[in-house]
Amino acid sequence: MTGDDTGHTETGERADTAGNNDDATGSAAGRERTDDTAGRERADDTNGETPTRKTPGQTPLLLDVMLGKLATYLRMCGYDAAYAGTRGAETDDDALAVAETEGRTLVTRDHALATRGDPSLLLSSRDPVDQLRELAAAGYDLTLAETPTHCSACNGRLEHVDRTEPTPDYAPDPHEETVWRCRDCGQHFWKGSHWDDVAATLADL
């Protein structure tokens, strides 16, 4: 989403490094649904039925520390997608507390953690694009937001930069291109080549 393709790559890699601790805790074992796990679901468990559609404005999320790269994609689709690694919620208990307090669906690759979250969504893939496919199959709307709303780097809210305001050297002139600024971290964004790359990825799901 950031028009500064270099800057976006850096923020994406930081999230990906923090969010891909691919160890034994990340593997998701198969399990059967029971009455006491009504708020928990596997992304691939639809029982042959059309899943309920989940839209960005109605589905705040908390992604665990193995899903940092996925958070970037979801923010570009307009989701309020908090990342446990930057919320001081690296432990299971802390992640569960943030999700419950803020009314977020917990998205995780950790089977044990998913069984404790309510609601939660268990993913099985390690690859971010395959994770997106799992989310799409579970009914999540994965369309790029027409007007960006969340910072792809930190999840802060974006605001439109007025044409009279100065922008950093890495950002285009707002007279020439629409520019947004994160209210929290101050990064500037626009629909550059990275936006087109993500659009192509989502179109292939």
Side-chain angles (χ1 to χ4, degrees), residues 167-172 190:
T167 54
D169 291 340
Y170 66 80
W190 63 99

Side-chain angles (χ1 to χ4, degrees), residues 4-155:
D4 174 18
D5 295 328
T6 302
H8 183 86
T9 300
E10 290 174 355
T11 57
E13 287 177 353
R14 283 201 299 272
D16 197 30
T17 300
N20 284 283
N21 300 324
D22 289 327
D23 54 22
T25 62
S27 62
R31 62 186 175 86
E32 297 293 331
R33 277 187 167 184
T34 59
D35 291 340
D36 63 346
T37 58
R40 308 162 184 86
E41 59 180 322
R42 287 182 61 98
D44 58 359
D45 183 11
T46 60
N47 293 324
E49 300 177 359
T50 301
T52 303
R53 185 173 176 83
K54 289 90 170 176
T55 57
Q58 301 172 333
T59 317
L61 306 170
L62 176 67
L63 283 77
D64 77 3
V65 293
M66 292 181 283
L67 300 173
K69 185 66 173 179
L70 181 62
T72 300
Y73 283 103
L74 290 172
R75 292 163 183 169
M76 293 179 69
C77 292
Y79 283 93
D80 175 2
Y83 173 53
T86 57
R87 293 294 305 272
E90 288 84 0
T91 70
D92 288 2
D93 287 344
D94 288 341
L96 291 165
V98 170
E100 181 177 358
T101 300
E102 300 182 8
R104 297 179 180 274
T105 296
L106 177 63
V107 184
T108 180
R109 287 184 51 240
D110 186 324
H111 175 268
L113 180 58
T115 61
R116 297 175 62 194
D118 186 8
S120 68
L121 179 69
L122 178 64
L123 302 180
S124 60
S125 176
R126 295 184 178 186
D127 180 74
V129 175
D130 288 338
Q131 291 166 358
L132 288 168
R133 292 192 178 98
E134 290 186 77
L135 285 165
Y140 284 78
D141 181 2
L142 297 179
T143 305
L144 275 179
E146 183 173 344
T147 300
T149 57
H150 287 82
C151 174
S152 61
C154 77
N155 199 46

